[in-house]
Amino acid sequence: MTDTPPPQVWPTLRARDARALIRFLVDAFGFEETVVYGEGDRVDHAELAWPPGGGVMLGSASEGDSTGVTGPGSFSAYVVTDEADALCARARAAGAEITSDPHDTDYGSRDFAARDPEGNRWSFGSYPGAPRGK
């Protein structure tokens, strides 16, 4: 049996109102706030864990940002969940714009898609990716 290594790839995004986006991602999608660094409304660095594994990093957008991170509203991600229908209902109740209702794909996944208040696109589904080779 092989242990899966801890996440080493972290999708990153910037937000106009990072603290509000953090609250939304926790409330609507179920991410868990791990760390948030910054003062007042500014977020210098935040990490949100996805309970089954992985997570995202984010921070406040700033003038002249040269980190190479995409600007507010230009992020998209696919997040694996076994509970697409329940998560979609939770996201809708929290005010997420559902852009694609839960549906079955031709490759056996149960998916839906949503947009957060910053305009970022989130796809959720049961497809975990192809198994790793040795």
Side-chain angles (χ1 to χ4, degrees):
M1 177 153 102
T2 304
D3 290 336
T4 302
Q8 298 299 311
V9 176
W10 289 88
T12 58
L13 60 151
R14 292 283 184 245
R16 290 174 199 86
D17 186 344
R19 293 200 185 270
L21 182 58
I22 291 166
R23 284 189 306 276
F24 178 84
L25 296 175
V26 168
D27 294 345
F29 299 148
F31 280 91
E32 296 172 350
E33 184 179 309
T34 306
V35 297
V36 178
Y37 300 108
E39 295 182 15
D41 291 336
R42 189 186 79 246
V43 173
D44 297 320
H45 173 82
E47 295 175 20
L48 303 180
W50 184 241
V56 296
M57 293 182 185
L58 65 103
S60 297
S62 62
E63 199 68 30
D65 189 351
S66 62
T67 62
V69 177
T70 59
S74 60
F75 175 81
S76 65
Y78 181 83
V79 182
V80 178
T81 180
D82 289 333
E83 302 294 331
D85 292 275
L87 184 54
C88 182
R90 173 184 178 158
R92 189 184 314 272
E97 174 192 349
I98 304 303
T99 58
S100 178
D101 285 316
H103 62 280
D104 295 320
T105 69
D106 58 356
Y107 50 89
S109 186
R110 181 77 174 157
D111 290 3
F112 82 94
R115 213 178 278 280
D116 67 32
E118 295 267 341
N120 299 300
R121 295 162 306 282
W122 297 86
S123 297
F124 295 87
S126 58
Y127 179 69
R132 287 181 156 186
K134 289 193 175 209

